[in-house]
Amino acid sequence: MPTTIDGRKVSKDIKNEIVQKVDALKAEGKRVPHLAIIIVGDDGPSHTYVKGKINACKEVGFEYTLLHFANSLAEAKLIKQIDKLNEDEDIDGFIVQLPLPDHISVEHVNERINPGKDVDGFTNQNFGSITSTHHLLLPATPFGVMELLKRYEIETKGKECVVVGASRLVGAPVSMMMLQDGLATVTVCHEHTKDLAKHTSQADILIVAVGKPNLITKDMVKKGVVIIDVGTSRVEDKTKKSGFRLSGDVDYENVAPLASYITPVPGGVGPMTIASLLVNTLKAYEAREI
Ligand code: NAP
Protein backbone atom coordinates (compact mmCIF):
# COMPACT_ATOMS: atom_id res chain seq x y z
CA MET A 1 0.00 0.00 0.00
CA PRO A 2 1.19 3.56 -0.63
CA THR A 3 2.28 6.08 1.94
CA THR A 4 -0.46 8.64 2.36
CA ILE A 5 0.96 12.15 2.18
CA ASP A 6 -0.77 13.79 5.10
CA GLY A 7 -1.21 17.46 4.27
CA ARG A 8 -3.07 18.09 7.51
CA LYS A 9 -0.11 16.88 9.56
CA VAL A 10 2.49 18.80 7.55
CA SER A 11 0.37 21.92 7.69
CA LYS A 12 0.06 21.50 11.47
CA ASP A 13 3.86 21.14 11.74
CA ILE A 14 4.32 24.34 9.74
CA LYS A 15 1.78 26.17 11.91
CA ASN A 16 3.63 25.01 15.05
CA GLU A 17 6.89 26.37 13.62
CA ILE A 18 5.14 29.71 12.95
CA VAL A 19 3.63 29.79 16.46
CA GLN A 20 7.15 29.53 17.91
CA LYS A 21 8.29 32.49 15.79
CA VAL A 22 5.24 34.56 16.74
CA ASP A 23 5.78 33.75 20.43
CA ALA A 24 9.39 34.89 20.10
CA LEU A 25 8.25 38.18 18.50
CA LYS A 26 5.78 38.73 21.34
CA ALA A 27 8.45 37.96 23.94
CA GLU A 28 10.63 40.65 22.35
CA GLY A 29 7.72 43.10 22.56
CA LYS A 30 7.41 43.30 18.78
CA ARG A 31 4.21 43.47 16.76
CA VAL A 32 2.94 40.28 15.10
CA PRO A 33 2.35 39.68 11.35
CA HIS A 34 -0.94 41.08 10.03
CA LEU A 35 -2.85 39.54 7.09
CA ALA A 36 -5.80 41.25 5.37
CA ILE A 37 -8.34 39.39 3.25
CA ILE A 38 -10.66 41.01 0.72
CA ILE A 39 -13.71 39.07 -0.37
CA VAL A 40 -16.26 40.35 -2.87
CA GLY A 41 -19.74 38.82 -3.07
CA ASP A 42 -21.39 35.88 -1.36
CA ASP A 43 -19.97 32.78 -3.06
CA GLY A 44 -20.41 30.01 -0.45
CA PRO A 45 -17.19 28.01 -1.05
CA SER A 46 -15.13 31.25 -1.12
CA HIS A 47 -16.49 32.25 2.28
CA THR A 48 -15.64 28.78 3.59
CA TYR A 49 -12.04 29.12 2.32
CA VAL A 50 -11.77 32.59 3.87
CA LYS A 51 -13.07 31.27 7.19
CA GLY A 52 -10.32 28.62 7.08
CA LYS A 53 -7.70 31.31 6.45
CA ILE A 54 -8.96 33.44 9.35
CA ASN A 55 -8.99 30.43 11.68
CA ALA A 56 -5.41 29.68 10.64
CA CYS A 57 -4.40 33.27 11.50
CA LYS A 58 -6.02 32.83 14.92
CA GLU A 59 -4.23 29.50 15.44
CA VAL A 60 -0.76 30.96 14.84
CA GLY A 61 -1.39 34.30 16.56
CA PHE A 62 -1.38 36.57 13.47
CA GLU A 63 -3.52 39.68 13.39
CA TYR A 64 -6.10 39.64 10.61
CA THR A 65 -8.52 41.99 8.93
CA LEU A 66 -11.47 40.86 6.83
CA LEU A 67 -12.92 43.23 4.27
CA HIS A 68 -16.19 41.98 2.75
CA PHE A 69 -17.78 43.90 -0.13
CA ALA A 70 -21.05 43.45 -2.04
CA ASN A 71 -21.01 41.70 -5.40
CA SER A 72 -21.82 45.02 -7.07
CA LEU A 73 -18.52 46.62 -5.97
CA ALA A 74 -17.03 48.51 -8.92
CA GLU A 75 -13.55 47.52 -10.08
CA ALA A 76 -12.29 51.08 -9.48
CA LYS A 77 -13.44 50.90 -5.84
CA LEU A 78 -11.68 47.58 -5.33
CA ILE A 79 -8.51 49.03 -6.84
CA LYS A 80 -8.78 51.96 -4.39
CA GLN A 81 -9.07 49.48 -1.52
CA ILE A 82 -5.98 47.63 -2.77
CA ASP A 83 -4.07 50.93 -2.91
CA LYS A 84 -5.06 51.56 0.72
CA LEU A 85 -3.73 48.15 1.81
CA ASN A 86 -0.56 48.65 -0.23
CA GLU A 87 0.10 51.82 1.75
CA ASP A 88 -1.12 50.63 5.16
CA GLU A 89 1.93 50.29 7.41
CA ASP A 90 0.09 47.87 9.71
CA ILE A 91 -0.62 45.33 6.96
CA ASP A 92 2.18 42.92 6.01
CA GLY A 93 0.32 41.01 3.35
CA PHE A 94 -3.12 40.67 1.80
CA ILE A 95 -5.10 38.55 -0.60
CA VAL A 96 -8.09 39.14 -2.81
CA GLN A 97 -10.13 35.94 -2.64
CA LEU A 98 -11.01 34.45 -6.03
CA PRO A 99 -13.29 34.12 -7.91
CA LEU A 100 -14.22 37.76 -8.42
CA PRO A 101 -17.49 38.89 -10.04
CA ASP A 102 -17.33 38.92 -13.86
CA HIS A 103 -17.20 42.72 -14.09
CA ILE A 104 -13.84 42.80 -12.24
CA SER A 105 -10.63 41.87 -14.07
CA VAL A 106 -8.46 39.50 -12.01
CA GLU A 107 -5.48 40.70 -14.01
CA HIS A 108 -6.10 44.38 -13.14
CA VAL A 109 -6.48 43.42 -9.49
CA ASN A 110 -3.37 41.26 -9.30
CA GLU A 111 -1.22 43.82 -11.02
CA ARG A 112 -2.23 46.51 -8.54
CA ILE A 113 -1.06 44.52 -5.51
CA ASN A 114 2.35 45.50 -4.15
CA PRO A 115 4.44 42.34 -4.87
CA GLY A 116 5.97 42.62 -1.38
CA LYS A 117 2.48 42.18 0.12
CA ASP A 118 1.25 39.64 -2.46
CA VAL A 119 1.08 36.65 -0.10
CA ASP A 120 -0.88 34.56 -2.63
CA GLY A 121 2.09 34.95 -4.99
CA PHE A 122 -0.17 35.91 -7.91
CA THR A 123 1.49 39.07 -9.27
CA ASN A 124 3.61 38.86 -12.42
CA GLN A 125 6.67 39.78 -10.38
CA ASN A 126 6.27 36.92 -7.90
CA PHE A 127 5.22 34.48 -10.64
CA GLY A 128 8.29 35.41 -12.69
CA SER A 129 10.57 35.18 -9.67
CA ILE A 130 10.02 31.39 -9.58
CA THR A 131 12.82 31.14 -12.12
CA SER A 132 15.13 33.28 -9.97
CA THR A 133 17.10 32.32 -6.90
CA HIS A 134 15.84 35.54 -5.26
CA HIS A 135 12.17 34.73 -4.89
CA LEU A 136 10.30 36.08 -1.90
CA LEU A 137 6.62 35.16 -2.14
CA LEU A 138 5.98 32.02 -4.19
CA PRO A 139 2.47 31.09 -5.40
CA ALA A 140 0.82 29.46 -2.38
CA THR A 141 -0.59 26.16 -3.71
CA PRO A 142 2.49 25.22 -5.83
CA PHE A 143 4.71 26.12 -2.87
CA GLY A 144 2.57 23.80 -0.73
CA VAL A 145 3.06 20.97 -3.24
CA MET A 146 6.84 21.44 -3.20
CA GLU A 147 6.85 21.51 0.60
CA LEU A 148 4.97 18.19 0.76
CA LEU A 149 7.54 16.55 -1.53
CA LYS A 150 10.37 18.04 0.52
CA ARG A 151 9.01 17.05 3.93
CA TYR A 152 8.31 13.48 2.77
CA GLU A 153 11.90 13.40 1.41
CA ILE A 154 10.70 12.41 -2.04
CA GLU A 155 13.56 12.60 -4.53
CA THR A 156 12.68 14.84 -7.48
CA LYS A 157 16.10 15.38 -9.08
CA GLY A 158 16.26 13.73 -12.50
CA LYS A 159 12.79 12.21 -12.15
CA GLU A 160 10.12 12.27 -14.86
CA CYS A 161 7.50 14.70 -13.56
CA VAL A 162 4.22 15.02 -15.43
CA VAL A 163 1.95 17.93 -14.53
CA VAL A 164 -1.64 17.68 -15.75
CA GLY A 165 -3.21 21.15 -15.91
CA ALA A 166 -1.43 24.28 -17.07
CA SER A 167 -3.27 27.09 -15.28
CA ARG A 168 -1.54 30.22 -14.07
CA LEU A 169 -2.75 29.39 -10.55
CA VAL A 170 -1.35 25.87 -10.19
CA GLY A 171 -0.17 23.87 -13.23
CA ALA A 172 2.17 26.42 -14.80
CA PRO A 173 3.89 27.60 -11.59
CA VAL A 174 4.25 24.09 -10.12
CA SER A 175 5.86 22.85 -13.35
CA MET A 176 8.32 25.76 -13.22
CA MET A 177 9.13 24.95 -9.59
CA MET A 178 9.66 21.26 -10.36
CA LEU A 179 12.09 22.34 -13.05
CA GLN A 180 13.82 25.05 -11.04
CA ASP A 181 13.97 23.67 -7.49
CA GLY A 182 12.95 20.06 -8.09
CA LEU A 183 15.47 19.57 -10.94
CA ALA A 184 13.04 17.15 -12.56
CA THR A 185 12.37 16.55 -16.25
CA VAL A 186 8.97 18.14 -16.65
CA THR A 187 6.11 17.50 -19.07
CA VAL A 188 3.04 19.73 -18.86
CA CYS A 189 -0.28 18.40 -20.19
CA HIS A 190 -3.54 20.28 -20.70
CA GLU A 191 -6.92 20.02 -22.36
CA HIS A 192 -5.39 19.87 -25.85
CA THR A 193 -2.84 17.19 -25.04
CA LYS A 194 -3.51 14.46 -27.61
CA ASP A 195 -2.77 11.29 -25.65
CA LEU A 196 -2.86 12.09 -21.93
CA ALA A 197 -2.29 8.49 -20.81
CA LYS A 198 0.86 8.22 -22.93
CA HIS A 199 2.39 11.00 -20.82
CA THR A 200 0.95 10.16 -17.39
CA SER A 201 2.10 6.54 -17.67
CA GLN A 202 5.72 7.76 -17.94
CA ALA A 203 5.53 9.74 -14.70
CA ASP A 204 7.65 9.04 -11.63
CA ILE A 205 5.88 12.02 -10.07
CA LEU A 206 2.39 12.92 -11.27
CA ILE A 207 0.90 16.26 -10.24
CA VAL A 208 -2.73 16.72 -11.29
CA ALA A 209 -4.53 20.08 -11.13
CA VAL A 210 -7.54 20.03 -13.42
CA GLY A 211 -10.84 19.89 -11.48
CA LYS A 212 -12.30 16.77 -13.16
CA PRO A 213 -13.03 13.89 -10.75
CA ASN A 214 -11.64 10.50 -11.83
CA LEU A 215 -9.71 11.96 -14.78
CA ILE A 216 -6.71 9.81 -13.82
CA THR A 217 -7.51 6.09 -13.81
CA LYS A 218 -5.37 3.08 -12.93
CA ASP A 219 -4.49 2.31 -16.56
CA MET A 220 -2.86 5.76 -16.83
CA VAL A 221 -0.13 5.37 -14.20
CA LYS A 222 2.88 3.18 -13.64
CA LYS A 223 3.60 1.20 -10.50
CA GLY A 224 5.47 3.16 -7.82
CA VAL A 225 4.34 6.59 -9.03
CA VAL A 226 4.18 9.50 -6.57
CA ILE A 227 0.81 11.25 -6.95
CA ILE A 228 -0.04 14.77 -5.87
CA ASP A 229 -3.73 15.42 -6.49
CA VAL A 230 -4.50 19.14 -6.37
CA GLY A 231 -7.99 18.81 -7.88
CA THR A 232 -10.86 19.76 -5.60
CA SER A 233 -14.39 19.35 -6.93
CA ARG A 234 -17.71 19.20 -5.13
CA VAL A 235 -19.48 15.95 -5.96
CA GLU A 236 -23.10 15.29 -4.96
CA ASP A 237 -23.29 12.92 -1.98
CA LYS A 238 -26.67 12.46 -0.34
CA THR A 239 -25.11 10.62 2.61
CA LYS A 240 -23.42 13.87 3.70
CA LYS A 241 -25.19 16.57 5.69
CA SER A 242 -23.91 19.17 3.25
CA GLY A 243 -25.16 17.12 0.28
CA PHE A 244 -21.70 16.93 -1.28
CA ARG A 245 -18.20 15.59 -0.76
CA LEU A 246 -14.86 16.79 -2.11
CA SER A 247 -13.19 14.78 -4.86
CA GLY A 248 -9.74 15.02 -6.40
CA ASP A 249 -8.86 14.37 -10.05
CA VAL A 250 -7.54 10.87 -9.36
CA ASP A 251 -9.67 7.72 -9.05
CA TYR A 252 -8.14 7.27 -5.59
CA GLU A 253 -9.57 3.88 -4.70
CA ASN A 254 -8.23 2.13 -7.80
CA VAL A 255 -5.07 4.17 -8.41
CA ALA A 256 -3.71 4.31 -4.83
CA PRO A 257 -2.66 0.60 -4.72
CA LEU A 258 -0.24 1.30 -7.61
CA ALA A 259 1.31 4.39 -6.05
CA SER A 260 4.27 4.67 -3.68
CA TYR A 261 2.99 7.97 -2.23
CA ILE A 262 -0.35 9.70 -2.75
CA THR A 263 -2.21 12.73 -1.40
CA PRO A 264 -5.83 12.23 -0.34
CA VAL A 265 -8.59 14.72 -1.14
CA PRO A 266 -9.48 16.27 1.22
CA GLY A 267 -6.47 16.36 3.55
CA GLY A 268 -3.64 16.55 1.03
CA VAL A 269 -2.79 19.74 -0.83
CA GLY A 270 -5.72 21.80 0.51
CA PRO A 271 -4.36 22.39 4.05
CA MET A 272 -0.96 23.20 2.52
CA THR A 273 -2.34 26.16 0.57
CA ILE A 274 -3.37 27.80 3.85
CA ALA A 275 -0.06 26.90 5.50
CA SER A 276 1.79 28.49 2.55
CA LEU A 277 -0.26 31.65 2.94
CA LEU A 278 0.88 31.88 6.57
CA VAL A 279 4.51 31.22 5.58
CA ASN A 280 4.30 33.97 2.95
CA THR A 281 2.74 36.41 5.44
CA LEU A 282 5.57 35.76 7.87
CA LYS A 283 8.14 36.22 5.07
CA ALA A 284 6.49 39.49 3.99
CA TYR A 285 6.56 40.65 7.64
CA GLU A 286 10.23 39.72 8.04
CA ALA A 287 11.16 41.49 4.80
CA ARG A 288 9.48 44.67 6.05
CA GLU A 289 10.93 44.51 9.55
CA ILE A 290 14.55 44.06 8.45
P1 NAP B 1 -8.27 25.88 -14.14
O1 NAP B 1 -7.80 27.28 -14.18
O2 NAP B 1 -9.65 25.55 -14.61
O3 NAP B 1 -7.24 25.02 -15.00
C1 NAP B 1 -7.47 23.67 -15.30
C2 NAP B 1 -6.35 23.15 -16.17
O4 NAP B 1 -6.68 21.80 -16.51
C3 NAP B 1 -6.20 23.88 -17.51
O5 NAP B 1 -4.83 24.03 -17.79
C4 NAP B 1 -6.88 22.97 -18.51
O6 NAP B 1 -6.31 22.97 -19.81
C5 NAP B 1 -6.60 21.61 -17.91
N1 NAP B 1 -7.56 20.61 -18.36
C6 NAP B 1 -8.90 20.71 -18.45
N2 NAP B 1 -9.43 19.55 -18.87
C7 NAP B 1 -8.40 18.70 -19.05
C8 NAP B 1 -8.29 17.35 -19.49
N3 NAP B 1 -9.37 16.64 -19.82
N4 NAP B 1 -7.06 16.80 -19.56
C9 NAP B 1 -5.97 17.49 -19.22
N5 NAP B 1 -6.00 18.77 -18.80
C10 NAP B 1 -7.20 19.37 -18.72
O7 NAP B 1 -8.17 25.27 -12.69
P2 NAP B 1 -7.08 25.59 -11.50
O8 NAP B 1 -7.40 26.88 -10.89
O9 NAP B 1 -5.71 25.31 -11.98
O10 NAP B 1 -7.51 24.45 -10.48
C11 NAP B 1 -7.41 23.09 -10.82
C12 NAP B 1 -8.01 22.25 -9.72
O11 NAP B 1 -7.24 22.44 -8.54
C13 NAP B 1 -9.45 22.62 -9.34
O12 NAP B 1 -10.14 21.46 -8.96
C14 NAP B 1 -9.28 23.52 -8.15
O13 NAP B 1 -10.39 23.52 -7.29
C15 NAP B 1 -8.08 22.88 -7.50
N6 NAP B 1 -7.31 23.76 -6.62
C16 NAP B 1 -7.08 23.31 -5.37
C17 NAP B 1 -6.34 24.09 -4.52
C18 NAP B 1 -6.07 23.57 -3.15
O14 NAP B 1 -5.65 24.32 -2.30
N7 NAP B 1 -6.28 22.28 -2.92
C19 NAP B 1 -5.85 25.34 -4.91
C20 NAP B 1 -6.08 25.75 -6.22
C21 NAP B 1 -6.81 24.95 -7.07
P3 NAP B 1 -6.26 24.27 -20.75
O15 NAP B 1 -5.11 25.09 -20.19
O16 NAP B 1 -5.98 23.73 -22.09
O17 NAP B 1 -7.59 24.93 -20.57
Side-chain angles (χ1 to χ4, degrees):
M1 279 311 278
T3 300
T4 302
I5 298 179
D6 187 346
R8 287 199 182 104
K9 186 195 169 292
V10 177
S11 125
K12 208 167 170 196
D13 292 346
I14 292 173
K15 283 181 195 163
N16 287 338
E17 291 158 19
I18 295 176
V19 166
Q20 284 180 15
K21 291 190 177 164
V22 171
D23 285 348
L25 291 172
K26 285 182 186 161
E28 288 169 36
K30 292 188 173 155
R31 67 179 190 91
V32 298
H34 188 168
L35 172 73
I37 301 175
I38 295 180
I39 182 163
V40 183
D42 294 307
D43 176 59
S46 296
H47 278 270
T48 306
Y49 292 137
V50 164
K51 211 167 144 192
K53 291 168 188 178
I54 287 173
N55 285 341
C57 284
K58 288 180 187 166
E59 271 179 68
V60 299
F62 284 1
E63 253 193 79
Y64 64 89
T65 297
L66 176 64
L67 299 160
H68 180 198
F69 299 101
N71 202 61
S72 57
L73 182 77
E75 183 179 296
K77 287 210 167 144
L78 178 57
I79 296 288
K80 246 188 192 164
Q81 190 57 56
I82 290 171
D83 286 345
K84 261 185 166 173
L85 293 175
N86 282 337
E87 282 154 28
D88 191 332
E89 287 295 322
D90 285 339
I91 302 290
D92 298 294
F94 63 97
I95 63 165
V96 179
Q97 181 67 38
L98 299 180
L100 286 166
D102 290 344
H103 64 275
I104 300 178
S105 153
V106 175
E107 222 162 277
H108 292 166
V109 165
N110 281 343
E111 285 325 302
R112 196 69 173 209
I113 299 173
N114 169 357
K117 293 191 176 189
D118 166 33
V119 287
D120 257 338
F122 284 168
T123 57
N124 283 343
Q125 185 168 326
N126 284 324
F127 186 86
S129 78
I130 294 171
T131 56
S132 148
T133 46
H134 294 292
H135 39 64
L136 175 63
L137 303 173
L138 289 169
T141 301
F143 176 67
V145 169
M146 298 304 289
E147 202 59 23
L148 283 178
L149 293 170
K150 194 168 119 195
R151 293 198 181 218
Y152 274 81
E153 297 179 351
I154 293 168
E155 181 63 83
T156 55
K157 192 174 172 182
K159 300 286 180 185
E160 292 289 333
C161 173
V162 176
V163 179
V164 186
S167 74
R168 195 181 188 281
L169 194 66
V170 192
V174 86
S175 58
M176 284 157 66
M177 287 183 199
M178 283 302 286
L179 193 61
Q180 181 78 13
D181 293 338
L183 301 174
T185 301
V186 183
T187 302
V188 186
C189 302
H190 45 76
E191 205 163 1
H192 304 287
T193 298
K194 289 216 166 66
D195 186 351
L196 185 60
K198 185 181 105 186
H199 297 285
T200 56
S201 58
Q202 298 297 315
D204 299 314
I205 300 170
L206 180 61
I207 302 172
V208 196
V210 173
K212 292 196 174 155
N214 298 331
L215 177 71
I216 304 297
T217 49
K218 67 175 182 183
D219 51 315
M220 295 171 75
V221 301
K222 74 175 178 192
K223 202 165 179 328
V225 63
V226 174
I227 298 182
I228 307 288
D229 190 354
V230 186
T232 315
S233 306
R234 284 185 170 196
V235 176
E236 191 182 290
D237 185 343
K238 293 205 168 92
T239 67
K240 303 272 177 199
K241 205 172 138 200
S242 59
F244 69 86
R245 66 183 160 80
L246 293 182
S247 169
D249 291 336
V250 176
D251 174 11
Y252 188 93
E253 198 186 329
N254 295 306
V255 173
L258 292 168
S260 54
Y261 292 85
I262 189 164
T263 56
V265 178
V269 176
M272 291 302 293
T273 297
I274 294 188
S276 304
L277 181 66
L278 298 174
V279 169
N280 274 349
T281 304
L282 184 62
K283 280 187 187 166
Y285 167 94
E286 286 169 347
R288 295 178 72 232
E289 286 297 302
I290 290 166

